[in-house]
Amino acid sequence: MTAEEGREGAIRRTVEAVWRMESAKIIATVARMVRDVGLAEELAQDALVSALEQWPGEGVPDNPAAWLTAVAKRRALDRLRHRQLAEHKAGEIGREFDAQHEMAQADFADAVDAALDDDIGDDLLRLVFTACHPVLSTEARVALTLRLMGGLATDEIARAFLVPEATVAQRIVRAKRTLAEARVPFEVPRRRELEGRLASVLEVIYLIFNEGYSATAGDDWMRPALCDEALRLGRILAELMPKEAEVHGLVALMEIQASRTAARVGASGEPVLLLEQNRARWDHMLIRRGLAALARAESLGGALGPYALQAAIAACHGRARTADETDWARIAALYDALAELAPSPIVKLNRAVALSMAFGPAAGLEVVDALMDEPALKGYHLLPTVRGDLLFKLGRRDEARREFDRAAALTRNTRERALLLARARACMAG
């Protein structure tokens, strides 16, 4: 590699790093001007292309993010003027922008930074609420959020979810078109709408986290990069909405669960179940951060919401120095509260596990057996997994083996399938 190639490579890496950190702010700022997230992303991408063309020759500016934002805003202004859309608004924006440039003659970077800081928090909130708008399908919301808020390229999202790149590209294009056709406003919903819309945002972030924490399919049991991205989005949201208890509850839940990442996978990539994990490998900094976020949620008053309750359950595990110290009775009580607040077959299944640990496998099996005809769990591999585990503990090994085999046939994750088949074989031993 020549010195010139090395320099160009370093600049490209700088551009990519700046884009990853700042793209959401740039898109959000431009979207406030053009009121169209699809167009805003296109204009921000234009600025990125300009950087890749100019920085190798001119050098990286002192404030790369301000440079990219300024270029994207110029593109937006040109587009507004060219199309003669909202002529009066374009004039106002133009005067504002021109004024910023006059100031910039004295100190360009500081002036643009100050202008950006004024509204960037609100702009980011508008962006995440738009990307997670209920008019979009769940898959579209996830893809668009990772693209706009996470700065991930289409191929990165496709790899993360093990779907073809063309599928993700199509989802993103359709999502932008749907938002434009539905004339979804670029704004934070008003108070009466906020609760439902915030629930959609939190759902998307937690879906991203869960896919990283327990991969649906593929050869790896975990995809930590997705967990990291969801955590980053959750922390940003918590800063932007400090008075929303459920936002802190979700962050707490993700922090504590993420603390187990290193202990969840063995040396060969095989899954290591919770009670068998080496707790010395848990990240105790993340546990402390999670407990602090949970305390923040509790301090805001009122009854705990579904995410805060799940965080409280995770906290019981996080506080236990050994598996034997786990307060299963409290976990079962928290699941009772969760089942009442947000009833679902999966919550009932998890509650069954807690009951079995607190009061014996027969107590859990009674609940699981009542779920056997539940349509929502028909193809859910964790139902036979849990039932197999409880039957094994009760000494009903033949039945347990059949359940583990059934679970192995249902899962699409290679590592999990291997674990389940090993458990089935163990039922036949001794």
Side-chain angles (χ1 to χ4, degrees):
M1 179 188 297
T2 65
E4 183 62 22
E5 289 171 338
R7 180 172 171 278
E8 288 182 1
I11 289 176
R12 178 173 288 277
R13 287 192 293 276
T14 300
V15 172
E16 290 172 352
V18 171
W19 180 254
R20 186 64 179 270
M21 289 186 293
E22 303 293 341
S23 61
K25 294 177 184 174
I26 298 168
I27 294 168
T29 300
V30 177
R32 174 157 49 91
M33 296 171 65
V34 299
R35 299 286 163 178
D36 181 329
V37 293
L39 177 58
E41 194 208 5
E42 179 187 323
L43 296 168
Q45 290 279 357
D46 285 349
L48 178 66
V49 171
S50 296
L52 290 169
E53 291 171 348
Q54 295 183 34
W55 292 4
E58 300 173 4
V60 178
D62 292 338
N63 190 331
W67 190 99
L68 286 165
T69 306
V71 171
K73 290 175 76 174
R74 283 195 200 103
R75 298 279 196 277
L77 187 57
D78 289 344
R79 184 66 66 96
L80 287 171
R81 282 173 169 157
H82 179 72
R83 290 185 178 179
Q84 295 185 334
L85 291 174
E87 185 174 347
H88 176 67
K89 182 178 177 180
E92 284 186 348
I93 295 171
R95 285 190 291 279
E96 178 188 342
F97 195 73
D98 290 343
Q100 288 181 5
H101 269 261
E102 287 180 14
M103 293 167 60
Q105 290 178 2
D107 190 336
F108 173 80
D110 287 348
V112 174
D113 274 350
L116 292 178
D117 287 343
D118 282 347
D119 292 311
I120 192 61
D122 288 344
D123 285 344
L124 281 174
L125 271 184
R126 293 184 187 106
L127 186 63
V128 71
F129 273 102
T130 303
C132 296
H133 196 281
V135 73
L136 303 175
S137 68
T138 300
E139 293 82 2
R141 277 183 274 160
V142 168
L144 196 59
T145 300
L146 285 173
R147 176 67 169 265
L148 298 182
M149 293 296 295
L152 269 64
T154 304
D155 63 323
E156 292 177 293
I157 301 170
R159 279 200 304 272
F161 286 92
L162 302 180
V163 295
E165 187 175 337
T167 302
V168 173
Q170 209 168 41
R171 284 177 187 167
I172 292 172
V173 168
R174 285 177 179 167
K176 291 176 185 173
R177 189 188 307 145
T178 301
L179 290 174
E181 290 174 353
R183 297 181 183 276
V184 170
F186 184 67
E187 64 182 19
V188 176
R190 297 179 187 280
R191 174 52 61 179
R192 60 187 172 81
E193 299 176 64
L194 184 61
E195 187 176 346
R197 294 282 301 281
L198 179 58
S200 174
V201 173
L202 299 182
E203 178 192 21
V204 167
I205 294 175
Y206 196 42
L207 276 172
I208 295 169
F209 181 87
N210 265 338
E211 187 57 33
Y213 195 67
S214 296
T216 305
D219 295 331
D220 298 315
W221 198 35
M222 294 189 70
R223 301 195 189 102
L226 280 177
C227 293
D228 293 344
E229 190 56 39
L231 256 179
R232 191 178 75 86
L233 293 175
R235 289 167 181 161
I236 290 172
L237 196 62
E239 287 181 10
L240 297 175
M241 307 186 79
K243 295 182 180 177
E244 293 293 336
E246 273 294 81
V247 176
H248 297 293
L250 174 60
V251 171
L253 174 60
M254 294 191 296
E255 299 271 17
I256 297 172
Q257 287 186 313
S259 73
R260 304 175 202 144
T261 298
R264 294 190 80 229
V265 180
S268 303
E270 74 278 13
V272 181
L273 302 180
L274 176 61
L275 299 184
E276 296 164 5
Q277 290 171 12
N278 177 359
R279 297 186 180 214
R281 299 190 68 199
W282 287 4
D283 186 329
H284 292 277
M285 174 65 79
L286 287 181
I287 293 175
R288 285 194 291 275
R289 291 182 64 131
L291 294 177
L294 178 58
R296 184 82 180 272
E298 292 169 339
S299 72
L300 289 169
L304 295 183
Y307 290 109
L309 279 171
Q310 291 176 79
I313 291 168
C316 290
H317 294 295
R319 291 187 178 106
R321 290 172 298 178
T322 66
D324 290 340
E325 285 186 6
T326 307
D327 187 349
W328 286 106
R330 175 164 170 70
I331 291 174
L334 287 167
Y335 269 118
D336 285 345
L338 182 61
E340 190 169 334
L341 183 65
S344 80
I346 291 178
V347 170
K348 290 179 182 175
L349 183 62
N350 291 336
R351 176 175 169 270
V353 175
L355 288 173
S356 75
M357 296 301 294
F359 307 112
L365 186 61
E366 183 180 345
V367 177
V368 171
D369 283 347
L371 293 171
M372 293 303 287
D373 295 327
E374 172 59 56
L377 297 180
K378 186 177 180 183
Y380 190 51
H381 69 284
L382 290 182
L383 177 62
T385 300
V386 170
R387 191 164 190 271
D389 183 63
L390 298 177
L391 289 168
F392 183 83
K393 288 175 178 173
L394 290 167
R396 295 161 61 178
R397 293 193 168 209
D398 285 344
E399 294 171 88
R401 179 185 55 76
R402 286 196 291 274
E403 292 292 22
F404 286 132
D405 280 335
R406 190 160 71 92
L410 288 173
T411 184
R412 292 189 289 136
N413 185 282
T414 307
R415 297 287 184 180
E416 199 164 28
R417 183 180 301 117
L419 172 70
L420 290 164
L421 291 175
R423 297 197 71 184
R425 288 193 297 274
C427 293
M428 296 185 288

